[in-house]
């Protein structure tokens, strides 16, 4: 499976949940472990409908959705999940591979490629 197909499947999965009140307006993928592991991504999610929930609850909800909506093969491409309150937070975190802390010892040009963001719809 290529990255474009994974993005398409993720968008479809999140759009299906919109009718039940889950609003995910954008997602992002960045290679996991600075790109050292092939075909594994950290998934960043902008989920404004989850504001007010504890971060672990948000992540658990998104992981549960992935298990419900994606096949085992599709899920193996997602190594980690990070959830943000809005697109601005997601955009800001993409430079840091969706982590809350900067990676010490890495200049921005030496790190893995920056995250690519996609509107969900």
């Amino acid at each position: 499976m290529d990255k474009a197909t994974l993005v398409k499947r993720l968008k479809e999965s999140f759009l299906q949940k919109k009718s039940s009140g889950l609003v995910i307006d954008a997602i992002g993928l960045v290679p996991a472990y600075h790109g050292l592991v092939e075909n594994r991504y950290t998934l960043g999610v902008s989920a404004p409908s989850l504001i007010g929930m504890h971060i672990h609850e948000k992540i658990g909800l998104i992981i549960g959705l992935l298990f419900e909506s994606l096949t085992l093969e599709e899920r193996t491409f997602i190594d980690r999940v990070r959830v943000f309150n809005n697109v601005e937070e997601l955009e800001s975190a993409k430079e840091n591979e969706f982590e809350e802390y900067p990676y010490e010892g890495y200049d921005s040009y030496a790190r893995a490629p920056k995250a690519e963001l996609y509107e969900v719809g």
Side-chain angles (χ1 to χ4, degrees), residues 15-114:
L15 282 173
Q16 287 176 356
K17 292 297 179 180
K18 194 170 187 173
S19 63
S20 64
L22 178 63
V23 176
I24 295 177
D25 50 6
I27 60 173
L29 291 174
V30 66
Y33 308 107
H34 310 293
L36 295 175
V37 180
E38 191 174 323
N39 294 324
R40 296 292 182 269
Y41 300 96
T42 298
L43 171 65
V45 177
S46 169
S49 64
L50 302 182
I51 291 175
M53 291 177 68
H54 188 276
I55 189 65
H56 294 125
E57 290 178 297
K58 293 178 187 183
I59 292 170
L61 193 142
I62 299 300
I63 290 172
L65 175 71
L66 296 177
F67 270 81
E68 183 181 305
S69 304
L70 302 179
T71 66
L72 176 61
E73 178 189 4
E74 293 167 336
R75 290 192 313 264
T76 60
F77 288 90
I78 306 298
D79 186 76
R80 290 175 279 178
V81 174
R82 301 293 182 257
V83 181
F84 301 92
N85 291 326
N86 53 51
V87 175
E88 291 78 21
E89 288 180 13
L90 179 70
E91 176 78 31
S92 176
K94 81 176 187 177
E95 297 298 318
N96 213 24
E97 300 177 6
F98 300 129
E99 297 298 340
E100 294 180 9
Y101 52 88
Y103 288 106
E104 295 181 26
Y106 289 93
D107 291 326
S108 61
Y109 62 85
R111 285 195 252 152
K114 304 292 185 280

